[in-house]
Amino acid sequence: MIQIQKFTVNPFQENTYILWDDNGEGVLIDPGCYTVEEEKEVLEFIKNNNIQINAILHTHSHLDHCFSSGYFASLFKVNIWIHKDDIITYNSFEKVCSMYGIPIRHSLPQSYKLYSLNDGFSFGNSHLEIRFVPGHAPGHVIFFAKEEQFVVNGDCLFYQSIGRTDLPGGNHATLLSSIRKELFTLPSSTVVYCGHGPETTIGSEVNTNPFLR
Ligand SMILES: [Zn+2]
């Protein structure tokens, strides 16, 4: 049984997630902590719950989702995992930070691992299905915990909204069709954990999301 904990961090109010199972093994998704205090809060939670972090997973590598990926990767001596179409975004992290005038506290490591959509991602006794959902970013993926019926969906679907598509590689029509194909086909009771803002469910967004009527 996978448990999930959310932390809202950095000036972009990004949601960082820890997923862990009964085995005590876990993953860190989109660690966007920007301050030492934010990093401490995540670390303390990991320590207090005796979680062994096995990997850092990116839904996509926009700067607000990976400010502390480099820090946690070296601290836990684990790899960062991305989709192959996300490499270009991953590699432009430092350039985009300086474009925004944001000092870089932790660079991203040069090396990373690439997801296999067929294999998904396993940790402890648990498994996450990985679905490819481009549109907000070209190499965006989501993580579906089938047994627990929740999805960590980054910046694709938000409560009553959808991700912006005006950033490099973004495409509005692609995002809408990806959401319909990969998210709206999940069970309607599935809880959707978003990269920003509150949780929602597939059923409620299918019925009421103004961008997808
Ligand atoms: Zn994003």
Side-chain angles (χ1 to χ4, degrees), residues 60 62 64-65 136 155 167 196:
H60 65 303
H62 279 158
D64 52 327
H65 291 249
H136 167 70
D155 292 351
L167 297 169
H196 302 270

Side-chain angles (χ1 to χ4, degrees), residues 56 58 61 78-84 86-88 90-91 108-115:
I56 292 167
H58 284 183
S61 299
V78 297
N79 290 121
I80 297 173
W81 292 74
I82 61 174
H83 185 274
K84 66 174 169 54
D86 191 49
I87 294 173
I88 186 166
Y90 185 95
N91 285 333
L108 288 175
Q110 300 239 306
S111 65
Y112 43 76
K113 295 270 189 186
L114 297 178
Y115 297 125

